[in-house]
Amino acid sequence: MGNRAYNFNAGPAALPLEVLQKAQEELVEFKGIGMSIMEISHRSAEYEQVHTETQQLLKQIFAIPDGYQVQFLQGGASTQFAMIPLNFLKPGKVGSYVLTGAWAEKAVQEAGLFGEVAIAASSKESKFMKIPDLSEINIHPDSAYLHLTSNETIEGAQFQSYPDTGNVPLIGDMSSDILSRPVDVSKFGMIYAGAQKNLGPSGVTVVIVKEDLLQDLPKTIPTMLRYEIHGKNNSLYNTPPVYSIYMVNLVLKWIQEQGGLAAIEKNNLEKSGLIYSAIDQSGGFYRGPVDKGSRSAMNITFRLQDEELEKKFIKETEQNGFVGLKGHRSVGGLRASTYNAVPYSSCKALADFMIDFQKRNG
């Protein structure tokens, strides 16, 4: 392969090289059928096999217990911000939200279009630099659900463990950290994730939902926005994003080859540890603004003394084959996204670059 960039993009993001090569090999002709997977009917036996196998692989790798459905939807996690209250926020009930950053805020605003919203805990005062303690989460007694954003991609703060919500279903937006570590799925009524960070390319949104939640949903919801319709039709009510699902299939097989989620988590902590250590041992040259107990293993945010130096850092990284290290436009600074598919060697190269940059500019 020619020169692969050190890809630290926040999403769409790095895919495993082995997955890309496998997709390339099968692109024109899928398993001897004389056509690409993109050219065949979503009702064909060949596609259905890929579809079902992808659901099974996810259940296996993520240890999803019985009683949950895996759905493949479209419209990104952003459409889920509306679908969740549309389906579950009934009159007289409240949607409870933990406000931890830009993405949680979007989910809250969207839910406010459909019903009453309560903020169960917030880290807005601290500019979202610390995930609220689980003991601070105050669930409204009339809650239809409690929603949280497991990892805030923009600010770089991540839940290290999840609250016990009793009878109130817990709903998690795991778009940027799904499959980065083992999770007790049984704590959740629903988990959802846009694929374009740890699961595959953009175009498919994975929803893992407890079947109990799909009873007695309002009859006025548009057909395409009803979880029960997608459930009853095994996510084949309309044409699914066939190619994105096929790519997720390959990524899941790659995760298995790496040794599953325990191995993936260990690798992720080592990778992010290299970069956090370059920040922490820099004597203040680099600053990691997020509270140490809330640091994300997926999105590492950091600052330099001033914006001029940050611009210089970005310019030099680009000249050295690094991509995507500019912080989100809403917060500035720098950000390295170290998702599952970002290799250890890329993180090591970045840590080495940071140490060298400090020597030359410190």
Side-chain angles (χ1 to χ4, degrees):
M1 284 303 291
N3 275 352
R4 293 272 293 162
Y6 298 124
N7 183 354
F8 290 98
N9 277 323
L15 285 161
L17 180 58
E18 300 92 319
V19 165
L20 293 170
Q21 286 169 332
K22 178 75 174 161
Q24 181 181 39
E25 185 190 308
E26 293 185 333
L27 182 71
V28 177
E29 190 179 348
F30 180 69
K31 303 197 168 165
I33 63 173
M35 294 171 283
S36 170
I37 186 85
M38 285 187 274
E39 299 178 286
I40 61 175
S41 166
H42 60 293
R43 310 270 175 217
S44 65
E46 291 85 359
Y47 174 69
E48 201 143 326
Q49 194 270 323
V50 170
H51 192 88
T52 311
E53 184 186 55
T54 310
Q55 289 167 325
Q56 293 308 341
L57 282 166
L58 187 60
K59 284 180 175 173
Q60 208 180 325
I61 292 166
F62 207 27
I64 299 172
D66 290 342
Y68 286 80
Q69 291 180 359
V70 172
Q71 300 187 356
F72 299 131
L73 307 184
Q74 294 177 74
S78 297
T79 299
Q80 294 303 308
F81 297 163
M83 269 179 84
I84 289 162
L86 258 178
N87 282 263
F88 305 133
L89 185 48
K90 295 175 182 163
K93 289 286 194 181
V94 172
S96 289
Y97 285 76
V98 185
L99 185 55
T100 47
W103 289 108
E105 201 148 41
K106 286 192 165 160
V108 168
Q109 284 167 350
E110 201 70 6
L113 302 174
F114 300 99
E116 197 187 324
V117 172
I119 302 299
S122 169
S123 54
K124 197 166 187 166
E125 317 298 37
S126 69
K127 289 200 165 72
F128 302 129
M129 290 301 126
K130 182 182 190 298
I131 295 287
D133 289 335
L134 299 188
S135 59
E136 290 168 16
I137 298 176
N138 183 8
I139 305 174
H140 192 286
D142 297 324
S143 293
Y145 55 81
L146 176 75
H147 178 285
L148 58 79
T149 309
S150 63
N151 180 66
E152 286 285 358
T153 321
I154 290 177
E155 291 85 2
Q158 183 179 30
F159 276 86
Q160 305 304 321
S161 56
Y162 297 113
D164 238 319
T165 54
N167 295 331
V168 175
L170 178 61
I171 298 182
D173 174 359
M174 293 194 187
S175 292
S176 53
D177 68 351
I178 194 166
L179 300 190
S180 67
R181 57 186 179 181
V183 165
D184 179 0
V185 176
S186 69
K187 288 188 107 161
F188 290 83
M190 175 174 151
I191 290 169
Y192 65 98
Q196 63 276 11
K197 295 166 165 85
N198 265 341
L199 292 171
S202 62
V204 62
T205 305
V206 171
V207 168
I208 300 160
V209 62
K210 213 171 187 172
E211 284 166 1
D212 304 358
L213 286 184
L214 305 185
Q215 314 302 320
D216 309 320
L217 299 182
K219 296 287 175 262
T220 51
I221 308 169
T223 308
M224 280 302 291
L225 300 178
R226 301 172 73 92
Y227 293 115
E228 58 178 324
I229 291 283
H230 294 294
K232 279 181 185 141
N233 293 279
N234 191 25
S235 302
L236 293 161
Y237 177 78
N238 73 327
T239 310
V242 168
Y243 198 71
S244 297
I245 294 167
Y246 157 77
M247 289 292 286
V248 171
N249 181 289
L250 297 184
V251 170
L252 292 172
K253 287 174 179 165
W254 176 82
I255 289 174
Q256 271 184 331
E257 283 157 20
Q258 306 309 300
L261 295 190
I264 289 276
E265 177 178 43
K266 182 174 178 283
N267 194 28
N268 283 335
L269 293 172
E270 283 172 8
K271 281 157 39 182
S272 57
L274 288 170
I275 300 165
Y276 280 125
S277 142
I279 294 168
D280 293 339
Q281 289 170 14
S282 71
F285 182 80
Y286 298 106
R287 290 193 324 280
V290 176
D291 179 82
K292 281 190 181 170
S294 300
R295 278 176 166 179
S296 170
M298 295 285 99
N299 308 100
I300 302 167
T301 51
F302 57 102
R303 306 290 317 224
L304 290 164
Q305 269 89 331
D306 57 64
E307 287 189 20
E308 281 317 297
L309 203 52
E310 288 177 349
K311 280 181 185 148
K312 186 178 183 195
F313 181 92
I314 287 161
K315 195 176 168 193
E316 286 193 24
T317 55
E318 284 170 354
Q319 289 162 349
N320 284 278
F322 294 91
V323 175
L325 289 168
K326 207 177 187 167
H328 189 270
R329 59 186 182 281
S330 62
V331 293
L334 304 156
R335 168 175 62 173
S337 296
T338 53
Y339 302 125
N340 291 351
V342 175
Y344 182 91
S345 55
S346 293
C347 297
K348 178 84 174 79
L350 177 58
D352 291 347
F353 176 86
M354 287 167 72
I355 293 162
D356 179 59
F357 184 85
Q358 181 180 354
K359 279 188 186 131
R360 291 181 288 107
N361 294 278

